[in-house]
Amino acid sequence: RVAVPGAAMLRRSLWLCLCLCSCPARGLRIHEYLYFQVLSPGDIRYIFTATPAKDFGGVFNTRYDQIHLVPADPPEACGELNNGVFIQDQIALVERGGCSFLSKTRVVQEHGGRAVIIADNAYDNDSFYIEMIQDSSRRTADIPALFLLGRDGYMIRRSLEQHGLPWAVISIPVNVTSIPTYEMMQPPWTFW
């Protein structure tokens, strides 16, 4: 017997196809997606979607097969980080709010982070991506800055708290073109 995908699976497949077919061969541009996979803890072992900052930050020139995703302390990362030593050479998970996206990116960069993933502070946001733009300060940042849906950020932090873990282990970026659509493990709380 062959399983026939349901309507939801067909919508996901169509959406993914449209996204992948519109991507250029080199680099990411605004309104495109970058994917990462949580490897640990296992209860959130999903492929997550993020969007790059519009006009600041670097790009991923290296693929990290296993790197720590460290929630910033304090979560908004608008100043000195209490856990900055753990962010060095890792990726910081930061919450939106309190200061500009660029300020958060610079704080993580100053603590030696390789990238920053800024999750929306609206924990129920499971579909609306914010366009992260440069502030009016004329400052720059060199590390990649990505925007993550609020529900995704919340679920990652909640899992880490439940397991008493200081960080998640992720793979970033993930090339989803090599994964059959029916095998992609997307978060069940996100509409695709």
Side-chain angles (χ1 to χ4, degrees):
R1 243 171 80 181
V2 176
V4 177
M9 184 59 78
L10 289 174
R11 281 193 303 273
R12 289 180 191 169
S13 298
L14 178 60
W15 178 85
L16 185 59
C17 180
L18 289 172
C19 289
L20 296 176
C21 293
S22 65
C23 292
R26 299 170 62 205
L28 286 169
R29 290 181 174 63
I30 188 65
H31 298 304
E32 293 182 8
Y33 300 100
L34 186 136
Y35 301 90
F36 69 94
Q37 182 175 16
V38 173
L39 305 173
S40 173
D43 62 331
I44 55 168
R45 193 177 168 97
Y46 301 115
I47 294 177
F48 292 89
T49 305
T51 57
K54 178 180 179 181
D55 56 6
F56 69 89
V59 296
F60 280 95
N61 294 320
T62 303
R63 181 175 190 278
Y64 300 101
D65 290 321
Q66 291 189 358
I67 191 166
H68 294 159
L69 178 62
V70 183
D73 177 23
E76 293 179 343
C78 292
E80 188 65 29
L81 299 177
N82 298 326
N83 63 340
V85 66
F86 297 113
I87 288 174
Q88 185 167 353
D89 292 324
Q90 306 303 323
I91 297 176
L93 177 62
V94 172
E95 274 189 41
R96 179 182 177 204
C99 60
S100 71
F101 294 118
L102 177 59
S103 293
K104 296 170 184 301
T105 304
R106 288 183 53 85
V107 166
V108 170
Q109 180 174 306
E110 290 165 6
H111 282 84
R114 299 214 180 182
V116 61
I117 297 175
I118 302 172
D120 196 356
N121 55 2
Y123 299 151
D124 59 345
N125 177 10
D126 61 1
S127 60
F128 183 70
Y129 288 91
I130 303 289
E131 197 170 76
M132 296 193 311
I133 59 172
Q134 172 94 284
D135 60 21
S136 59
S137 67
R138 298 186 186 205
R139 297 173 299 166
T140 61
D142 299 320
I143 64 171
L146 304 171
F147 182 81
L148 182 66
L149 295 173
R151 175 69 53 90
D152 292 346
Y154 170 76
M155 296 301 277
I156 291 169
R157 285 189 301 275
R158 186 180 86 165
S159 176
L160 293 176
E161 289 170 9
Q162 288 175 342
H163 294 287
L165 298 171
W167 52 68
V169 178
I170 67 170
S171 176
I172 189 168
V174 172
N175 179 0
V176 296
T177 60
S178 64
I179 303 171
T181 305
Y182 62 89
E183 288 183 11
M184 281 189 62
M185 292 291 295
Q186 297 128 353
W189 55 84
T190 302
F191 176 74
W192 285 73

